[in-house]
Amino acid sequence: MLSNGYIARYNTKANVFFNRTRELRYFRNAFSNEQPRLHVILGPPSTGKTALIREITTKNENFSPLFINCRNGQFDSPENVYNSLSIQFKTLADKQMKYLEKLPNELEIKDKILDFVNFVAEKGKEKITSDRVSELLSKIVGTLRIGTFGMVIEYHNLFWLLMKQTCLANLIESQLQIPHVTPYVVGDLSIGEAEDYFEKHVLPQHGCEELKGKFDHVRRITGTRMLIINMYVSEYKNNGGKLEYDEFSVFRQEDDKLRTGLDPFGFPGEPIDPLWDRNDLIKVMKKIVEAENKGFVLERDLIEEIGIRKLHSLVYNNFLHRRQTNMFANDINAPNEVILTAMNQPSLRAMERLLKILA
């Protein structure tokens, strides 16, 4: 079904994929490049990054991606970084061993891949440190330059998850500066796409036709993120057709997090000590709420307000989302520089209400 320049498939199954023509077209072209490249997919949490990329790669028999899952603590220590990366590449290399054995010994690709396999096999002989991870990335880069495979890394906040391992964060960032690495952003749906998704997919799925024509009201609560829209309508139905914005579960979670953030040194189980104080968070919330119509705040403006270390600590602890590039994103009309947003629309609403209470 073609509508307003994008495609969507609708039925009543909860797991249906919602297509976005611009992203599909661009990524198909990008992934069809004959030159080996490292594709890094960035964006806010739960924007459909994984579903989008899998939709593309699983339907292209000529593409065999390597997915590096950066969630669930898999990138929060040198050993976890090493394991997350090496296991994917070793699996690929092992599959190619019979093929490699038939290649002439003088071929560079054979030496590179065999060197990589031997390097990974030595893992148990020494402690995994950031230097060891650096060596691993160098060998991966070497095989990418001459190899014939693609790799996809997907995470909503890749760099800042590594913040407590600063050397690792710098290492990953430095790798992203090399020519064969391309970062992309998968943002939320555009307003038009989100309304179409709401009216033609979510409402029929949940049997809430009484919400037809009320997307502007719902969007103020949910934003244009598919998962949050779907959650809101589901809770609305389960609550008997009534659900105020402050009763929505995502709002309550964000509100609780922000209230806790006003006394950041009481955090239980945080991996690093928060660096901001109550006034810093209030200043940031004011800037984010004031910029709602624009959709973002420039990072340099917030750095001037509270300083870079405090700001990055807020990003690391998921009070803000940092978008270091806006390449190929269609949800925000932002300049070509680093921007910061609320984690989601319910978080923005929670900031707005909390500021009123504190006033």
Side-chain angles (χ1 to χ4, degrees):
M1 175 179 180
L2 181 62
S3 174
N4 298 326
Y6 54 89
I7 296 174
R9 295 199 301 272
Y10 304 106
N11 62 31
T12 58
K13 295 181 181 179
N15 62 350
V16 69
F17 175 78
F18 182 81
N19 270 333
R20 293 188 277 187
T21 296
R22 290 170 296 191
E23 288 88 346
L24 287 170
R25 181 173 59 249
Y26 185 85
F27 282 125
R28 283 186 181 126
N29 291 337
F31 294 169
S32 298
N33 192 315
E34 293 183 359
Q35 297 299 318
R37 301 194 65 82
L38 174 63
H39 304 285
V40 180
I41 314 302
L42 305 169
S46 304
T47 53
K49 299 181 291 296
T50 302
L52 177 64
I53 300 307
R54 290 192 183 279
E55 176 79 1
I56 297 167
T57 58
T58 57
K59 295 186 177 179
N60 184 346
E61 61 183 16
N62 297 320
F63 189 79
S64 299
L66 291 168
F67 281 96
I68 307 300
N69 183 358
C70 302
R71 295 174 175 169
N72 301 325
Q74 294 188 46
F75 262 49
D76 62 1
S77 72
E79 186 167 10
N80 287 344
V81 172
Y82 187 96
N83 291 338
S84 296
L85 293 175
S86 65
I87 191 171
Q88 291 284 343
F89 280 90
K90 187 176 185 305
T91 300
L92 174 71
D94 288 345
K95 289 180 180 179
Q96 299 299 320
M97 289 306 294
K98 290 184 178 180
Y99 168 73
L100 290 173
E101 290 172 357
K102 299 177 183 180
L103 294 177
N105 290 332
E106 60 271 16
L107 284 185
E108 184 183 7
I109 186 173
K110 183 173 184 178
D111 288 340
K112 290 284 187 181
I113 294 181
L114 289 174
D115 181 50
F116 170 78
V117 172
N118 291 332
F119 178 84
V120 173
E122 295 174 357
K123 175 204 167 188
K125 299 180 180 180
E126 59 182 90
K127 182 179 179 180
I128 301 300
T129 64
S130 56
D131 288 339
R132 184 75 173 174
V133 176
S134 179
E135 289 183 69
L136 175 67
L137 285 169
S138 296
K139 292 185 181 298
I140 289 173
V141 168
T143 58
L144 277 171
R145 287 197 177 105
I146 57 175
T148 58
F149 54 89
M151 174 171 137
V152 176
I153 293 180
E154 180 272 318
Y155 190 71
H156 73 273
N157 219 359
L158 173 62
F159 301 143
W160 301 110
L161 185 66
L162 297 171
M163 189 173 182
K164 70 176 180 178
Q165 296 289 343
T166 305
C167 54
L168 292 180
N170 293 337
L171 178 62
I172 295 291
E173 290 204 50
S174 68
Q175 294 295 333
L176 289 178
Q177 302 305 315
I178 55 181
H180 60 276
V181 176
T182 305
Y184 311 84
V185 169
V186 175
D188 294 324
L189 298 178
S190 68
I191 293 176
E193 289 170 328
E195 184 170 11
D196 214 25
Y197 173 72
F198 173 77
E199 296 277 352
K200 299 178 182 178
H201 176 75
V202 178
L203 296 187
Q205 174 186 328
H206 294 287
C208 295
E209 299 300 317
E210 70 274 15
L211 289 177
K212 270 190 174 294
K214 298 181 179 179
F215 179 68
D216 285 344
H217 167 73
V218 172
R219 178 170 63 86
R220 180 169 167 77
I221 300 170
T222 65
T224 61
R225 193 164 306 172
M226 288 184 287
L227 175 66
I228 297 178
I229 293 171
N230 193 62
M231 287 180 65
Y232 176 82
V233 175
S234 175
E235 291 182 25
Y236 168 88
K237 180 179 181 179
N238 292 337
N239 203 43
K242 296 179 182 179
L243 189 67
E244 298 297 328
Y245 79 96
D246 56 356
E247 297 174 327
F248 182 32
S249 64
V250 182
F251 173 91
R252 294 201 306 270
Q253 292 167 6
E254 295 295 329
D255 182 66
D256 180 66
K257 181 173 68 177
L258 289 168
R259 290 173 183 272
T260 305
L262 291 172
D263 182 22
F265 300 100
F267 272 24
E270 285 297 315
I272 62 171
D273 290 332
L275 302 179
W276 71 91
D277 61 26
R278 179 186 183 91
N279 290 332
D280 295 324
L281 182 55
I282 291 174
K283 289 177 183 178
V284 167
M285 289 194 297
K286 286 180 178 178
K287 290 290 186 181
I288 294 293
V289 171
E290 289 170 359
E292 177 177 3
N293 291 336
K294 188 166 56 173
F296 64 90
V297 177
L298 295 177
E299 182 182 56
R300 54 183 168 86
D301 290 342
L302 286 180
I303 289 175
E304 289 181 7
E305 195 74 28
I306 66 170
I308 189 169
R309 294 182 71 245
K310 291 179 178 180
L311 181 61
H312 287 174
S313 184
L314 284 166
V315 172
Y316 174 73
N317 285 283
N318 290 321
F319 286 89
L320 296 171
H321 176 70
R322 181 180 188 265
R323 187 178 290 191
Q324 54 266 53
T325 176
N326 208 44
M327 293 174 64
F328 321 119
N330 301 301
D331 57 334
I332 297 177
N333 184 19
N336 188 26
E337 58 180 301
V338 180
I339 63 173
L340 291 154
T341 70
M343 293 300 293
N344 49 50
Q345 186 73 3
S347 179
L348 179 64
R349 294 279 73 84
M351 290 182 182
E352 181 181 60
R353 189 178 76 163
L354 188 52
L355 288 172
K356 290 179 181 178
I357 292 173
L358 296 171

